[in-house]
Amino acid sequence: MPEPVVLVLDADPPPRLGRLTGRARVLRTDGAGLADRLPGADVLLVWDFTSDAVRRAWPGEGPRPRWVHAASAGVDRLLCPELAASGTVLTNARGIFERPIAEYVAGLVLAFAKDLPTTLALQRERRWHHREGQQVAGSRAVVVGAGPIGREITRLLHGLGVQVALVGRTARRTIHGIEDLGPLAARADWVISAVPLTPATYGMFDARFFGLLQPSARFINVGRGASVVEADLVDALNRRWLAGAALDVFADEPLGEQSPLWEVPGLLVSPHLSGDTVGWRDRLSEQFVAMYELWAEGEPLPNVVDKERGYVPSADNSAEKSAETEDTSPE
């Protein structure tokens, strides 16, 4: 039997797949060559998770891989109707980024509460200006998105003494339904988005939403950039409808030099790095190799994406799909 063909949509640095030597034929391609290579691949590793090449190439002619793995938490950049309707199994990198992103969010909460951006600015000016910070313990947060990232953020904020309400696509056990988001956000000190990008979450944080927040509230997005109407956030910050915001993800990345977001008062901009810690690429490679070993043995794969929803359902809501006709809210 010939070795299975693993096609890698490459990026620099490439994945470490040495353990597949003698067990798979590993081929590499860039976005331009993907369409021609897809028919001959059994497995596609989307290592370049910033590329839209899969969405463009998949509708072409010929066979398609039986398994596609995205080396990322989100799969919105590669899902297309043809892939969603196919029998191809789609998996993601669930389990790699949750803790780093939660730590980043906790760092932002502490930085905002203790006014560290102003302290650093004053130090550069050699100015001594005493101020009072906010106590984090006892403050209120709303985490939107009840997947593994949102749950890990919730756990870490609980450790800081924050009262956290977790909001998901439907109410269950300790999770609020999307219908509770407005009232909860109106009382929150921190609103944190960890939603996947789906038709229901596209542009969900808009002028109407920001108008609900307290003037002392802060908004943090580590989910998907297109879930925020950026122009509405800029306007809300300029009008001081909220005290500040932090964006680690954007509708268009990388953020251009001419973007107005760079200079908005109270807005902290970071270059989509909240989940990236030292060694993260090695962990992604190890995860894929371990999953390949399962696939080669015919074993069930973990992290299987529900291609209609656009994310991996959590165990406590995976049974809901049979009772629903469309996606109405974040996980």
Side-chain angles (χ1 to χ4, degrees):
M1 176 180 290
E3 293 176 340
V5 174
V6 174
L7 180 63
V8 181
L9 178 58
D10 228 341
D12 189 38
R16 296 186 176 184
L17 303 179
R19 283 170 51 194
L20 297 185
T21 301
R23 305 162 65 186
R25 183 183 174 205
V26 178
L27 303 177
R28 304 181 187 280
T29 186
D30 58 13
L34 181 62
D36 291 337
R37 296 266 190 153
L38 272 179
D42 298 292
V43 179
L44 173 64
L45 168 57
V46 185
W47 189 250
D48 184 1
F49 49 79
T50 66
S51 172
D52 295 321
V54 175
R55 187 186 300 163
R56 296 193 302 268
W58 198 272
E61 297 180 358
R64 289 294 181 260
R66 291 175 282 155
W67 168 34
V68 173
H69 178 71
S72 60
V75 297
D76 49 277
R77 300 200 72 152
L78 56 92
L79 261 180
C80 61
E82 292 81 3
L83 173 54
S86 73
T88 296
V89 175
L90 175 62
T91 58
N92 73 352
R94 186 172 187 162
I96 301 295
F97 299 108
E98 289 85 345
R99 182 69 183 194
I101 292 176
E103 290 177 356
Y104 193 79
V105 169
L108 289 172
V109 167
L110 291 168
F112 275 134
K114 307 309 176 184
D115 198 19
L116 293 184
T118 300
T119 296
L120 293 173
L122 291 172
Q123 180 178 348
R124 287 191 292 269
E125 298 174 8
R126 301 190 178 201
R127 287 180 57 200
W128 183 280
H129 176 56
H130 182 270
R131 303 169 325 281
E132 295 179 344
Q134 177 184 355
Q135 180 169 299
V136 171
S139 64
R140 294 179 176 179
V142 175
V143 176
V144 191
I149 293 174
R151 295 177 194 228
E152 189 64 22
I153 292 170
T154 297
R155 281 190 286 269
L156 208 52
L157 292 182
H158 274 152
L160 294 174
V162 180
Q163 302 174 30
V164 186
L166 182 58
V167 176
R169 82 191 307 266
T170 56
R172 54 199 188 273
R173 296 193 295 178
T174 59
I175 299 173
H176 294 268
I178 194 66
E179 64 277 2
D180 294 333
L181 176 57
L184 289 169
R187 301 193 301 270
D189 300 292
W190 319 99
V191 177
I192 298 138
S193 171
V195 299
L197 187 60
T198 70
T201 63
Y202 189 93
M204 70 179 293
F205 301 106
D206 56 10
R208 181 204 62 79
F209 179 83
F210 294 125
L212 297 173
L213 304 184
Q214 301 181 94
S216 59
R218 271 91 170 200
F219 174 78
I220 297 170
N221 187 17
V222 291
R224 282 293 175 265
S227 66
V228 176
V229 181
E230 292 172 351
D232 288 359
L233 175 59
V234 169
D235 186 60
L237 287 167
N238 285 328
R239 292 172 180 265
R240 299 188 179 182
W241 289 358
L242 66 164
L247 300 179
D248 186 54
V249 289
F250 303 87
D252 294 307
E253 298 182 5
L255 194 64
E257 292 183 5
Q258 303 306 314
S259 172
L261 294 173
W262 291 110
E263 298 182 354
V264 178
L267 178 60
L268 192 156
V269 170
S270 58
H272 204 151
L273 52 70
S274 61
D276 301 344
T277 53
V278 176
W280 66 282
R281 291 183 180 88
D282 289 342
R283 290 190 286 275
L284 285 171
S285 298
E286 292 165 2
Q287 180 187 55
F288 175 73
V289 170
M291 293 174 71
Y292 178 85
E293 291 171 346
L294 292 174
W295 179 83
E297 294 296 326
E299 298 292 332
L301 287 168
N303 300 357
V304 174
V305 173
D306 183 320
K307 292 183 289 184
E308 292 184 15
R309 292 184 180 182
Y311 54 83
V312 180
S314 298
D316 58 1
N317 74 351
S318 59
E320 295 174 3
K321 184 180 174 184
S322 60
E324 298 171 349
T325 58
E326 61 179 332
D327 187 8
T328 57
S329 64
E331 182 188 1

